[in-house]
Amino acid sequence: MKKIILSVFLFLHFVPTFACDICGCGVGGNYIGLLPDFNKRFIGLRYQFNQLTTQLDVQGNRSALTTDEKYQSMELWGAWNIKEKWRVLSIIPYNFNEKFTEGNNSLMRKNGLSDLVIHGYYQVFGRSSSSKQNKLIVQGLWLGMGLKLPSGKYDVQEQKNAQSVNPNIFQLGTGSLDFIPSLMYDIRIQDFGINSNVSYKINTENKDHYRYGNKIAANASAYYKIALGKDKRIAPNLGLAYENQWKDRNNDFLVHETGGDLLNGSIGVESNWNRLSLGINFQKPIHQDLGNHRIHAGNRILTHISYSF
């Protein structure tokens, strides 16, 4: 038992962690979080809300160029287990982007389809056993590969504005085909469990010669399942989510006010009512160093409703 628990914490501590997009907008945020319980397949809706403050001065203070940005996404998502070893997960996002510049009192909006994501997973192992105290231990490891398709509109004018102090993140899509290898590991001892996800997003250059920096994301959540009756349960969870983004390249030149790292604390709850699953997750920055301190990330919210069949 001690060896199993120790291996989990070593895995979470030593796996390298760079991340999905810091902005969390259509430029490729791929946070998965806790999947709803399902045996065969599920389909549902997710809603995500992120906010950023960009173009701060060199000391990290607001200036006439500072913008307050909001990124909202409504996503159709679903997954299908194929036999015992394979799983396919897809996400179709529709984004609502908003940017307000206080200096000239201007408001910009971009709404539209974002970049579709398809993940394929293979279960490396999944097993159940009992401890010396006769407690049930369930654990599983999934190895995945994802594709992010360039289905969202990419605005080349926004790229032209992306000089050293203006990150190119107010987009619906990246305009590039990207690859997302990942690992998902879950261990549960009776009703207490730990779920962890690590993904590495490999971005390619788009046709306008802009390449977003590769990202790695890692998150881990501890949860506890509470039975409320037959086929009804609730699972509060608490965890950490870490992201690191490399600097972008515009025509092979570094965009210096991009990249950085972000550590969020997260709290949430998942519930299952027969075939219906509901969940909400709130994330608050604990530490951040984004765009040479010229970008400040705010709180995040993720909710979902899913139906398994």
Side-chain angles (χ1 to χ4, degrees):
M1 172 66 66
K2 292 181 179 179
K3 290 182 179 180
I4 294 175
I5 296 175
L6 179 61
S7 66
V8 174
F9 284 98
L10 288 174
F11 174 81
L12 297 177
H13 184 72
F14 287 109
V15 170
T17 49
F18 303 174
C20 62
D21 274 302
I22 299 298
C23 69
C25 64
V27 212
N30 60 314
Y31 175 76
I32 299 298
L34 291 173
L35 289 176
D37 288 338
F38 70 103
N39 292 322
K40 187 66 175 178
R41 51 190 173 262
F42 79 84
I43 189 169
L45 290 173
R46 298 200 310 175
Y47 168 78
Q48 295 192 57
F49 173 84
N50 303 330
Q51 53 188 350
L52 285 176
T53 303
T54 67
Q55 298 196 70
L56 300 169
D57 66 19
V58 293
Q59 283 81 34
N61 300 316
R62 298 181 68 91
S63 70
L65 298 176
T66 297
T67 63
D68 295 301
E69 305 179 16
K70 297 178 182 178
Y71 297 96
Q72 301 178 78
S73 178
M74 183 64 71
E75 302 169 347
L76 176 66
W77 75 323
W80 181 21
N81 287 334
I82 304 173
K83 295 185 177 180
E84 294 182 357
K85 291 290 187 178
W86 296 94
R87 170 181 292 172
V88 177
L89 172 71
S90 61
I91 301 173
I92 304 175
Y94 190 93
N95 283 12
F96 305 86
N97 300 348
E98 182 177 298
K99 177 165 64 174
F100 177 74
T101 306
E102 186 175 355
N104 56 16
N105 198 34
S106 67
L107 178 65
M108 294 179 59
R109 290 190 175 96
K110 286 183 181 180
N111 303 336
L113 182 69
S114 186
D115 290 342
L116 280 66
V117 179
I118 301 174
H119 289 274
Y121 293 96
Y122 174 76
Q123 188 178 44
V124 180
F125 69 83
R127 61 173 66 104
S128 301
S129 60
S130 297
S131 67
K132 294 180 180 180
Q133 294 77 27
N134 203 30
K135 292 184 177 181
L136 177 65
I137 303 173
V138 181
Q139 56 181 322
L141 176 66
W142 293 80
L143 176 65
M145 173 58 75
L147 286 177
K148 188 195 68 59
L149 307 177
S151 54
K153 181 180 179 180
Y154 180 79
D155 185 356
V156 68
Q157 185 60 47
E158 189 71 29
Q159 173 182 323
K160 292 177 180 178
N161 294 336
Q163 304 302 319
S164 61
V165 296
N166 187 27
N168 182 20
I169 59 178
F170 196 66
Q171 300 278 6
L172 293 173
T174 65
S176 61
L177 177 67
D178 306 324
F179 304 91
I180 315 170
S182 61
L183 279 173
M184 296 195 305
Y185 179 69
D186 188 272
I187 181 170
R188 177 168 56 87
I189 304 172
Q190 288 292 102
D191 297 319
F192 173 78
I194 295 177
N195 177 275
S196 60
N197 297 269
V198 178
S199 66
Y200 178 45
K201 186 163 177 288
I202 305 168
N203 294 321
T204 64
E205 185 177 270
N206 63 25
K207 64 181 180 62
D208 296 300
H209 307 292
Y210 196 93
R211 178 173 178 172
Y212 291 92
N214 292 347
K215 299 100 182 169
I216 303 179
N219 61 81
S221 296
Y223 62 90
Y224 188 82
K225 292 189 174 184
I226 303 170
L228 301 176
K230 184 179 179 181
D231 296 326
K232 297 177 183 178
R233 55 191 172 273
I234 188 170
N237 56 81
L238 188 68
L240 295 172
Y242 177 76
E243 304 180 359
N244 179 284
Q245 175 183 343
W246 298 2
K247 293 185 183 300
D248 300 348
R249 287 186 173 271
N250 189 356
N251 289 293
D252 210 32
F253 291 97
L254 284 177
V255 183
H256 293 286
E257 309 304 331
T258 60
D261 64 315
L262 171 66
L263 177 65
N264 280 343
S266 68
I267 186 170
V269 63
E270 299 287 323
S271 61
N272 292 90
W273 305 84
N274 298 314
R275 294 178 179 269
L276 191 66
S277 297
L278 302 170
I280 184 168
N281 181 267
F282 174 80
Q283 296 187 10
K284 185 176 182 62
I286 297 174
H287 166 79
Q288 58 181 296
D289 179 7
L290 306 177
N292 290 338
H293 301 289
R294 305 190 75 165
I295 300 175
H296 185 272
N299 300 330
R300 297 180 178 181
I301 297 174
L302 168 67
T303 65
H304 77 85
I305 180 169
S306 308
Y307 180 78
S308 60
F309 57 100

